[in-house]
Amino acid sequence: MASSVNPPTRTLRTVTDLLEAGLVTPTQVPALEQVARQYATAIPPAFAGLIESPDDPIGRQVIPDVTECHTDPTENPDPIGDDALSPVPGIVHRYADRALLKPLLVCPLYCRFCFRREHVGPGGGVLDDAALERALDWLRTHTDIHEVVMTGGDPLMLSPRRMRAIMTALEGMDHIHTIRIHSRVPVADPARLNDDMADALETTRSIWLVAHVNHARELTPSARAAIRRVQARAIPVLGQSVLLRGVNDTPEALEALLRAQVAARIRPYYLHQLDPAPGTARFHVPIREGQRLLAALRGRVTGIAWPTYVIDIPGGHGKVPIAPDYLHTGPDGALRVRAPDGTIHRLAREPG
């Protein structure tokens, strides 16, 4: 069936933009204007061009929906406790050896399931020079921090000049050994990850780019070219995805996503259970279903493509694996393990 979507030439930001692009209908406009007063919309041309229909796996992620104005009792405006764990603006300190640095709260693409959707948006802006320096000073004085995870918003929305300045500042801290950049830019707006930005990421520290990819179709030739610019500078790329209803919640869709990442030299890192942000219930996949999905792929995809299925415990208590459990203790006290084909095998008793 032919697509009714009109390929845009600029970022779609308003309900009118969505209507003109054929992504919403006139009857939806009044309700979506209400959504727009609460949550930002931005769909860059590169990503919008992938949408074949409004409720396909690409459109579903980014086109606003009237259900976003309903908050389920299980949902929370700060589902992973960022606010309570922020000692200074721009810093989140949840784990002993690492901290998040959020230099801005602007993204190229506003995902409708985002766990920071109450914070990000065009008005979120960039930390000014004074605020950024306070955040960097906090990192300088906390010598137990060995890893900095740059997130936001999206750090690759910074200018190359500002990114280079931050990298230089982090490189000057002897206790910082590892830097991670978490970004949706490689698939959402790949032209932004040009040679200047890739050059700005170069450092003597261990640095990793973590690309957020939820569907195989997101890894277009342009996206793979952007990722190669980073890989050409000896920066490894990891992949993280969110398990989403109607996007990647079938064995076929999940397998295709994992295979597409490996084909692009991206090592799948995390498959996230959806964080319960307000208005995101339509994307929820129950944990047990997620475990069955992954179990269905065991033996079908290489271990290189196997992500860690994780949940961020609400309230800021940290991230833990929730992968399928293949091991249990039998009535005789011996361990039993389930093979990929479902058969159960008793293990010899372990010494000691």
Side-chain angles (χ1 to χ4, degrees):
M1 184 175 66
S3 171
S4 61
V5 178
N6 303 319
T9 58
R10 57 184 174 81
T11 295
L12 306 177
R13 297 190 181 277
T14 67
V15 177
T16 300
D17 290 342
L18 297 171
L19 183 63
E20 291 175 350
L23 295 174
V24 302
T25 64
T27 57
Q28 293 176 289
V29 168
L32 293 181
E33 291 286 7
Q34 181 182 350
V35 176
R37 287 191 285 272
Q38 193 166 353
Y39 300 116
T41 294
I43 312 176
F47 205 84
L50 298 177
I51 301 173
E52 296 174 351
S53 65
D55 199 42
D56 77 353
I58 306 299
R60 185 173 174 83
Q61 295 182 61
V62 295
I63 299 171
D65 187 274
V66 65
T67 59
E68 294 177 41
C69 290
H70 171 73
T71 299
D72 188 85
T74 62
E75 295 171 347
N76 186 320
D78 185 22
I80 64 170
D82 273 3
D83 293 345
L85 297 166
S86 181
V88 297
I91 295 289
V92 176
H93 186 206
R94 179 175 289 107
Y95 302 104
D97 69 332
R98 78 209 82 145
L100 303 185
L101 173 61
K102 299 192 291 184
L104 78 173
L105 292 173
V106 176
C107 296
L109 180 76
Y110 292 108
C111 299
R112 312 320 297 183
F113 53 85
C114 179
F115 68 93
R116 291 198 176 109
R117 67 202 316 257
E118 301 282 312
H119 300 80
V120 299
V126 180
L127 290 181
D128 62 26
D129 289 343
L132 178 59
E133 195 56 33
R134 282 193 295 273
L136 292 171
D137 278 342
W138 188 92
L139 292 170
R140 289 186 185 100
T141 57
H142 285 73
T143 55
D144 53 337
I145 300 295
H146 302 305
E147 180 177 7
V148 171
V149 181
M150 287 183 63
T151 181
D154 195 311
L156 295 187
M157 291 293 284
L158 294 169
S159 68
R161 177 194 61 80
R162 195 166 180 85
M163 175 62 79
R164 190 174 293 109
I166 293 173
M167 297 298 289
T168 299
L170 294 175
E171 195 172 80
M173 304 177 199
D174 290 342
H175 56 286
I176 302 297
H177 304 153
T178 305
I179 301 168
R180 258 192 281 158
I181 311 286
H182 285 217
S183 179
R184 196 87 160 104
V185 161
V187 297
D189 192 5
R192 183 176 286 274
L193 184 44
N194 55 23
D195 284 325
D196 286 345
M197 179 58 81
D199 286 342
L201 300 179
E202 291 198 271
T203 175
T204 59
R205 297 293 184 263
S206 168
I207 181 168
W208 304 72
L209 174 65
V210 183
H212 180 170
V213 188
N214 294 319
H215 194 271
R217 275 173 38 210
E218 297 174 32
L219 286 166
T220 62
S222 295
R224 293 197 299 271
I227 289 162
R228 282 197 298 272
R229 290 183 197 111
V230 172
Q231 293 167 332
R233 289 156 175 83
I235 299 173
V237 180
L238 303 175
Q240 65 174 355
S241 310
V242 183
L243 183 59
L244 300 167
R245 177 70 74 204
V247 176
N248 52 26
D249 62 328
T250 66
E252 295 76 17
L254 194 55
E255 179 177 353
L257 169 62
L258 300 176
R259 289 189 184 282
Q261 290 181 71
V262 172
R265 303 181 197 172
I266 299 170
R267 170 68 164 89
Y269 175 42
Y270 277 150
L271 176 65
H272 293 270
Q273 179 66 13
L274 179 72
D275 293 306
T280 62
R282 68 191 174 108
F283 292 105
H284 178 72
V285 178
I287 290 172
R288 291 301 186 194
E289 184 176 340
Q291 291 174 324
R292 288 194 294 272
L293 279 170
L294 271 181
L297 299 185
R298 177 61 76 182
R300 280 175 54 179
V301 297
T302 170
I304 295 172
W306 196 259
T308 301
Y309 183 28
V310 294
I311 186 170
D312 227 322
I313 302 171
H317 299 289
K319 197 180 280 98
V320 293
I322 51 172
D325 189 358
Y326 295 90
L327 198 65
H328 70 275
T329 302
D332 58 356
L335 290 176
R336 284 165 170 76
V337 63
R338 179 164 50 89
D341 64 3
T343 57
I344 304 298
H345 302 270
R346 183 180 184 277
L347 301 180
R349 286 189 179 273
E350 296 178 282

